[in-house]
Amino acid sequence: MNDNMIEEVIRKTIKEQISKEVDKEIQEKVEKFADELTLRKDDYISQIMKGIRIQHERDFGSMGINYRIIFENYYKLEK
């Protein structure tokens, strides 16, 4: 084998190894980010649920019950 072939084999091997490591690191970070978003999603849902109010009153004229669902809309600013 001449020097050029050896150098080419070394380059190819190093490139493949680095590519595998980079792909692995990307996958780990994507999974971590997905977990963070999932946790935040649950927080957002719980905040929305806290803003829902259900009121009811009996209508003696029709002997029924009237329900009113109120959605409170507020913003939480984070820095």
Side-chain angles (χ1 to χ4, degrees):
M1 290 181 107
N2 63 23
D3 290 343
N4 287 339
M5 290 178 64
I6 294 172
E7 186 177 327
E8 189 61 35
V9 169
I10 291 173
R11 284 179 192 259
K12 184 178 177 183
T13 304
I14 290 173
K15 183 178 179 180
E16 289 173 1
Q17 184 63 31
I18 290 173
S19 181
K20 287 179 187 178
E21 290 297 319
V22 168
D23 289 344
K24 180 181 172 184
E25 188 173 336
I26 289 171
Q27 185 62 32
E28 289 171 357
K29 289 187 180 195
V30 166
E31 289 172 3
K32 182 180 176 184
F33 186 62
D35 291 342
E36 289 174 11
L37 289 178
T38 301
L39 288 174
R40 278 198 249 158
K41 177 183 76 171
D42 293 341
D43 290 340
Y44 294 146
I45 290 171
S46 68
Q47 290 298 321
I48 290 170
M49 295 303 289
K50 288 178 187 177
I52 297 175
R53 303 286 179 254
I54 300 175
Q55 298 175 346
H56 66 280
E57 60 185 28
R58 182 171 298 273
D59 184 0
F60 291 105
S62 66
M63 296 304 291
I65 299 176
N66 295 325
Y67 290 94
R68 184 180 344 186
I69 301 173
I70 301 169
F71 295 94
E72 294 177 353
N73 190 10
Y74 64 94
Y75 293 96
K76 180 180 177 183
L77 299 177
E78 297 180 9
K79 288 186 178 183

